[in-house]
């Protein structure tokens, strides 16, 4: 008896620490949900800021996600499959936007694609303008969200047994064929998880967008920016936008869990 | 003089934690700390003013938080801890006064608007009425005092200069920034063809060209200062406000291009 | 009497990590067994023959075709070699059904299959190996013995010119092993392909009546008909391998 209560007492600090973190994470979201009534929500949703920001955020984050997945998947595969030393260096480069403050990312993008930036003269020659455009929003989102996807995808590809890929090759698949028909399906839960993270990150992107793309309703004013502006004029609108973003995040998480759960349901040997 | 945009973003972060304010480290040392929330256009002037105040009052430290006045008002409404609020617009102060969050206000300086273009002047604007040559115009967003003054300016231009001029100019806006210093930064970086900021912002930057706005349409911005209710600095805060209104303080503001009484 | 024609020849010299491999092997229609202690390089040799790694020097000839020749810098990729490979763990694709697994090789090796012919061929092979009723299941739901047969079916459907089996029976329990040993021996006897089998079990070697290559630390220490190695083992490992009076996994009668 004494030993089990001593063991439980030893677990208490750990349980408290975990519970505290959980509270810090959950309570603000709960407060957000409790903070507005359905009538306030209805009023907030009708605010002129809400619609354009929602539509812009949806458009841009979906395009960003497609770009990230299309370009990040081959990169992640190379990182997972290669034995060259340059791969480690490339990994650090890919991770950079995660550790850089978003404001720094914004300024870096300006210095690259801005009129006075590295590619400025080139872009001007082709009469392409990037800052202040929706393209700038997408660029900023891609920059900050890609590392999440590439990391998750590379980790998922690394977990694929190389023997299976060799078997696929001996059965007549080219390297690309083995990648498409074996590696990708097996890595899919990890790929989906990475994509969800990347999407969530670009949905919430603020600092780089503000500095690089600017703030114009309908063109560059994404939902996070709209929240800040709405707070200045109509708090209900700000709350409504915040709730929609929070709900989107929750739905993403649920979809993620369902997708991965279905993979496990295939049977004990299906743990790939 | 380029104020890092981090200032505005830090304010936004403050908002995100619902007005925890910036009085967190105040109790650490023995010095009295006067926390001042001020419009971003006052950055250099109040910075110098604060230094002179600290020299004249050893044992007192002044902590400055610069942001768009609308953001500062929001923070104060959410309970941020401050002692003094200096706004670029009387309306924000009036609203806070009505909510009994601040005491009565006094105008301590004024400003007017100016048109700025990058040094390279890509749109080749040399006079205010050529503003429609700009294809990329940056202004402050409507809730920022400078943004509100800008729209008032353009309304007057519609009436008194050329009908439709102001609307045409507004259609060239590509971004509405969160404070006037961010507006200026876009011009300094060469990204905007033109922007409308305060005269003081135009003068304190060596990286932009200033174009005067016809006095007939220009807007006068009145800066008012007030004491925040329940401020912790007490008497020191009152002395700071008095310093701002004193001859020494006004001289500093004058040096930085503000108009004084 | 066994056909003595040599159908395949391989010389391999490569350094993998700290292991230096230097072997020369050949075989005909009869199965060839590759034995050796753990870490001797057996799996690596199979993978080199399948095309996963490149030898530093060496040559691999199969059925008159050269699959790689390092002196000529000639190297066929795995998909062009038509060498079947069943790794330890069988390598079944967990996201596909048994039938889709078996069809995997057919679709890609046949030039222009008629619609449905892939399924037919796969079903026929599964039937031949006695597991056609597993067709719609996923590999995770199969027992070890069933997975083994499916893996074999999949390799055979692709009509390889040679089969590489890595410890095909090692992961099975004693009873399944015995059943499958007889089964594999019988089928390898009817299959035309030369086969190279890595095994730890002397009974596999005997059941296949195989030529044996014994490997240690990457080098060949003995080769020849298994009876020869059993009679005159060249190393302690070979002697222990063929020690038929040692412990077996025959189930003890319950008492």
């Amino acid at each position: 008896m004494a030993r089990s209560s001593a063991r439980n007492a030893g677990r208490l600090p750990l349980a408290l620490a975990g519970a505290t973190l959980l509270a810090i994470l959950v309570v603000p979201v709960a407060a957000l949900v409790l903070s507005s009534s359905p009538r306030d929500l209805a009023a907030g949703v009708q605010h002129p800021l809400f619609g354009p920001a929602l539509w812009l955020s949806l458009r841009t984050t979906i395009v960003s996600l497609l770009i990230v997945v299309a370009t990040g998947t081959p990169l992640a595969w190379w990182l997972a499959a290669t034995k060259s030393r340059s791969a480690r260096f490339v990994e650090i480069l890919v991770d950079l936007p995660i550790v850089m403050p978003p404001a720094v990312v914004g300024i870096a993008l300006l210095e690259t694609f801005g009129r006075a930036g590295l590619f400025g003269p080139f872009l001007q020659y082709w009469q392409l303008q990037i800052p202040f455009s929706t393209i700038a929003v997408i660029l900023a989102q891609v920059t900050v969200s890609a590392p999440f996807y590439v990391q998750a995808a590379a980790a998922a590809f690394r977990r694929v047994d190389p023997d299976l890929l060799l078997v696929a090759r001996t059965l007549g698949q080219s390297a690309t064929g083995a990648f498409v028909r074996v590696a990708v399906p097996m890595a899919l839960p990890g790929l989906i998880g990475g994509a969800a993270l990347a999407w969530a990150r670009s949905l919430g992107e603020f600092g780089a967008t503000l500095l690089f793309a600017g703030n114009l309703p309908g063109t560059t004013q994404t939902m996070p920016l709209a929240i800040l502006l709405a707070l200045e004029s109509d708090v209900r609108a700000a709350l409504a936008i915040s709730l929609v973003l929070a709900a989107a995040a929750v739905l993403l998480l649920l979809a993620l869990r369902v997708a991965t759960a279905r993979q496990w349901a295939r049977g004990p040997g299906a743990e790939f | 003089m380029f104020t890092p945009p981090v200032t505005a973003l830090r304010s936004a972060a403050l908002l995100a934690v619902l007005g925890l304010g910036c009085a967190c480290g105040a109790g650490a040392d023995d010095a009295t700390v006067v926390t001042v929330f001020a419009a971003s256009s006052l950055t250099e002037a109040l910075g110098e003013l604060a230094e002179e105040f600290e020299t004249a009052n050893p044992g007192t430290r002044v902590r400055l938080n610069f942001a768009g006045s609308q953001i500062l008002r929001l923070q104060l409404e959410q309970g941020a801890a401050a002692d003094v609020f200096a706004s670029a617009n009387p309306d924000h102060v009036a609203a806070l006064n009505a909510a009994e969050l601040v005491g009565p206000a006094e105008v301590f300086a004024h400003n007017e608007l100016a048109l700025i273009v990058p040094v390279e002047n890509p749109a080749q604007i040399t006079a205010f009425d050529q503003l429609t040559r700009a294809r990329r115009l940056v202004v402050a967003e409507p809730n920022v005092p400078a943004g509100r003054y800008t729209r008032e300016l353009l309304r007057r231009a519609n009436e008194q200069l050329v009908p439709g001029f102001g609307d045409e100019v507004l259609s060239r806006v590509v971004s509405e920034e969160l404070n006037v210093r961010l507006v200026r930064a876009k011009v300094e970086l060469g990204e905007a063809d033109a922007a409308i900021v305060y005269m003081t912002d135009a003068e304190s930057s060596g990286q932009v060209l200033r174009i005067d706005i016809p006095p007939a349409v220009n807007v006068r911005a009145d800066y008012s200062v007030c004491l925040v209710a329940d401020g912790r600095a007490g008497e020191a805060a009152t002395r700071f406000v008095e310093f701002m209104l004193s001859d020494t303080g006004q001289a500093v503001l004058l040096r930085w291009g503000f108009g004084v009484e | 009497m066994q056909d003595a024609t040599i159908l395949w020849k391989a010389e391999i010299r490569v350094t993998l990590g700290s292991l230096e491999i230097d072997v020369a092997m050949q075989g005909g229609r009869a199965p060839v067994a590759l034995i050796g202690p753990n870490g001797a390089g057996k799996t690596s040799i199979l993978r080199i023959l399948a095309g996963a790694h490149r030898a530093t020097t060496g040559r691999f000839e199969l059925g008159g075709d050269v699959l790689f020749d390092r002196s000529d810098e000639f190297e066929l990729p795995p998909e062009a070699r038509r060498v079947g490979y069943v790794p330890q763990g069988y390598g079944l694709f967990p996201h596909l059904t048994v039938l889709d697994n078996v069809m995997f090789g057919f679709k890609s090796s046949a030039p222009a299959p008629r619609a449905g012919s892939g399924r037919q061929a796969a079903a026929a092979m599964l039937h031949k190996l006695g597991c056609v009723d597993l067709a719609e299941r996923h590999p995770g739901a199969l027992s070890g013995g069933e997975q083994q047969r499916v893996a074999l079916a999949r390799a055979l459907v692709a009509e390889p010119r040679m089969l590489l089996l890595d410890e095909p029976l090692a992961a099975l329990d004693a009873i399944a092993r015995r059943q499958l040993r007889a089964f594999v021996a019988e089928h390898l006897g009817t299959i035309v392909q030369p086969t190279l089998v890595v095994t730890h079990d002397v009974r596999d070697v005997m059941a296949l009546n195989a030529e044996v290559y014994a490997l240690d630390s990457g080098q060949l220490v003995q080769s020849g008909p298994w009876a020869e190695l059993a009679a005159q083992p060249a190393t302690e490992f070979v002697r222990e391998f063929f020690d038929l009076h040692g412990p077996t996994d025959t189930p003890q009668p319950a008492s």
Side-chain angles (χ1 to χ4, degrees):
Chain A
M1 272 306 138
R3 190 130 38 101
S4 77
S5 65
R7 208 185 313 144
N8 285 336
R11 289 208 197 106
L12 194 57
L14 287 176
L16 267 176
T20 311
L21 181 60
L22 205 58
I24 293 179
L25 295 175
V26 170
V27 169
V29 178
L32 187 61
V33 173
L34 294 170
S35 63
S36 61
S37 68
R39 196 183 316 146
D40 284 343
L41 257 180
V45 160
Q46 286 162 26
H47 192 281
L49 277 182
F50 183 84
L54 176 62
W55 177 225
L56 182 70
S57 279
L58 267 177
R59 276 176 14 231
T60 51
T61 54
I62 288 179
V63 171
S64 304
L65 185 62
L66 289 174
I67 295 177
V68 164
V69 170
T71 56
T73 309
L75 178 61
W77 175 242
W78 177 75
L79 283 174
T82 192
K83 299 177 182 72
S84 74
R85 229 170 310 170
S86 52
R88 304 287 82 82
F89 182 62
V90 169
E91 272 192 69
I92 296 180
L93 288 179
V94 167
D95 286 346
L96 265 178
I98 296 186
V99 297
M100 289 203 310
V104 175
V105 173
I107 296 190
L109 284 170
L110 264 182
E111 291 297 321
T112 310
F113 298 101
R115 220 159 30 176
L118 201 60
F119 296 150
F122 175 77
L123 289 167
Q124 271 202 289
Y125 178 76
W126 292 103
Q127 297 188 338
L128 287 169
Q129 177 199 310
I130 296 190
F132 307 128
S133 70
T134 311
I135 296 189
V137 177
I138 293 175
L139 250 178
Q141 287 174 352
V142 167
T143 308
V144 300
S145 65
F148 291 98
Y149 178 71
V150 172
Q151 266 190 358
F157 283 138
R158 279 194 192 102
R159 284 193 293 265
V160 174
D161 187 350
D163 263 346
L164 268 72
L165 298 170
L166 178 58
V167 167
R169 301 282 304 269
T170 61
L171 291 170
Q173 292 295 320
S174 63
T176 313
F179 170 70
V180 170
R181 295 187 62 190
V182 178
V184 168
M186 291 185 65
L188 205 57
L191 299 183
I192 294 179
L197 273 181
W199 191 30
R201 179 64 188 90
S202 41
L203 211 56
E205 171 36 47
F206 175 87
T209 313
L210 179 61
L211 290 182
F212 179 48
N215 175 39
L216 199 65
T219 310
T220 54
Q221 189 174 87
T222 54
M223 290 185 87
L225 276 159
I227 292 178
L228 193 54
L229 261 78
L231 273 172
E232 297 166 5
S233 56
D234 186 348
V235 180
R236 295 174 304 175
L239 284 171
I241 302 176
S242 305
L243 272 171
V244 171
L245 274 179
V250 171
L251 281 174
L252 256 171
L253 271 178
L254 283 176
L256 193 58
R257 292 290 148 194
V258 168
T260 46
R262 212 179 289 154
Q263 303 283 357
W264 299 141
R266 286 251 181 85
E271 177 139 350
F272 48 84
Chain B
M1 293 200 58
F2 177 70
T3 310
V6 177
T7 318
L9 292 162
R10 216 188 303 144
S11 309
L14 264 173
L15 230 60
V17 292
L18 289 179
L20 277 184
C22 55
C24 7
D29 42 329
D30 287 342
T32 316
V33 177
V34 179
T35 305
V36 177
F37 280 17
S40 35
S41 45
L42 291 164
T43 304
E44 292 82 11
L46 273 196
E48 188 181 314
L49 227 150
E51 269 178 37
E52 292 199 8
F53 182 77
E54 283 176 350
T55 316
N57 295 271
T60 312
R61 264 198 330 116
V62 178
R63 234 179 31 181
L64 296 160
N65 176 23
F66 294 111
S69 307
Q70 83 287 7
I71 298 240
L72 297 170
R73 165 188 163 175
L74 202 42
Q75 290 177 324
L76 289 170
E77 282 169 347
Q78 296 298 326
D83 302 300
V84 177
F85 178 39
S87 168
N89 182 302
D91 296 352
H92 292 312
V93 173
L96 290 172
N97 195 9
E100 293 182 7
L101 290 168
V102 301
E106 205 166 329
V107 173
F108 68 96
H110 47 261
N111 212 338
E112 50 183 12
L113 298 179
L115 173 61
I116 54 171
V117 296
V119 174
E120 318 83 52
N121 204 350
Q124 291 171 330
I125 300 171
T126 51
F128 181 72
D129 54 16
Q130 293 173 353
L131 190 45
T132 44
R133 287 189 195 173
R135 283 184 312 143
R136 299 202 231 179
L137 185 67
V138 174
V139 298
E141 59 104 353
N143 290 308
V144 182
R148 207 178 297 180
Y149 293 140
T150 300
R151 280 157 180 86
E152 170 65 21
L153 164 71
L154 292 174
R155 193 190 60 78
R156 293 186 190 179
N158 262 347
E159 285 175 7
Q160 296 173 35
L161 285 184
V162 177
F165 176 80
D167 300 325
E168 180 65 31
V169 167
L170 269 178
S171 73
R172 305 299 170 90
V173 170
V174 288
S175 186
E176 301 172 336
E177 302 296 333
L178 295 183
N179 67 53
V180 73
R181 288 303 172 91
L182 279 177
V183 174
R184 187 180 73 178
K186 289 290 161 84
V187 174
E188 288 171 332
L189 285 168
E191 290 310 321
D193 291 337
I196 297 176
V197 297
Y198 291 117
M199 177 71 72
T200 52
D201 298 319
E203 286 186 356
S204 60
S205 165
Q207 300 169 52
V208 300
L209 291 177
R210 190 188 87 222
I211 295 168
D212 286 332
I213 297 177
V217 292
N218 207 340
V219 174
R220 178 174 136 143
D222 285 326
Y223 287 68
S224 40
V225 64
C226 56
L227 287 167
V228 178
D230 302 331
R232 271 188 250 161
E235 205 246 315
T238 315
R239 268 188 283 129
F240 184 78
V241 173
E242 284 171 3
F243 184 68
M244 282 171 68
L245 297 166
S246 71
D247 289 339
T248 328
Q250 297 276 289
V252 173
L253 288 160
L254 198 57
R255 264 208 300 283
W256 285 99
F258 288 89
V260 296
E261 295 306 308
Chain C
M1 196 174 93
Q2 280 189 358
D3 183 349
T5 322
I6 297 297
L7 289 175
W8 61 273
K9 263 205 302 206
E11 288 143 33
I12 297 172
R13 206 174 299 165
V14 67
T15 307
L16 291 171
S18 55
L19 184 66
E20 283 181 30
I21 296 180
D22 186 354
V23 299
M25 307 190 306
Q26 62 188 31
R29 187 146 285 131
V32 173
L34 184 56
I35 67 173
N38 283 330
K42 312 188 293 293
T43 300
S44 303
I45 289 175
L46 285 194
R47 303 183 93 240
I48 289 174
L49 293 176
H53 301 301
R54 225 172 252 197
T56 315
T57 53
R59 191 170 194 274
F60 180 27
E61 208 182 290
L62 171 61
D65 292 327
V66 177
L67 298 191
F68 69 78
D69 189 340
R70 297 305 294 142
S71 57
D72 277 344
E73 306 254 317
F74 176 74
E75 185 93 19
L76 273 183
E79 59 267 27
R81 295 191 184 191
R82 292 188 53 215
V83 170
Y85 174 55
V86 180
Q88 290 184 39
Y90 316 122
L92 292 178
F93 305 129
H95 59 287
L96 298 176
T97 60
V98 161
L99 192 65
D100 287 331
N101 261 280
V102 176
M103 267 185 358
F104 196 91
F106 178 89
K107 269 199 279 210
S108 34
S109 65
R114 284 184 354 256
S117 58
R119 298 184 76 85
Q120 279 179 357
M125 184 61 70
L126 282 173
H127 185 78
K128 192 166 164 196
L129 294 186
C131 39
V132 67
D133 53 323
L134 304 172
E136 290 308 313
R137 296 220 222 144
H138 281 273
L142 302 180
S143 72
E146 290 167 339
Q147 289 187 39
Q148 218 274 10
R149 279 183 275 172
V150 172
L152 205 51
R154 179 179 61 177
L156 291 173
V157 160
E159 295 179 357
R161 293 185 290 181
M162 180 172 178
L163 263 184
L164 305 172
L165 306 178
D166 199 348
E167 305 211 26
L169 307 180
L172 303 175
D173 67 71
I175 297 179
R177 208 179 306 157
R178 225 163 352 137
Q179 289 174 341
L180 233 34
R181 183 176 300 127
F183 177 86
V184 168
E186 178 200 329
H187 270 91
L188 286 190
T190 65
I191 288 163
V192 293
Q193 296 93 342
T195 314
L196 177 57
V197 180
V198 168
T199 179
H200 269 308
D201 196 332
V202 62
R203 282 160 301 189
D204 294 345
V205 174
M206 286 160 52
L208 294 172
N209 202 16
E211 296 280 308
V212 176
Y213 285 89
L215 194 70
D216 196 342
S217 303
Q219 316 282 323
L220 284 175
V221 295
Q222 193 174 9
S223 63
W226 70 267
E228 204 177 280
L229 271 75
Q232 290 164 336
T235 67
E236 182 62 25
F237 172 81
V238 177
R239 194 192 65 75
E240 284 212 28
F241 186 89
F242 284 101
D243 184 356
L244 294 165
H245 304 292
T248 70
D249 59 353
T250 319
Q252 300 300 317
S255 53

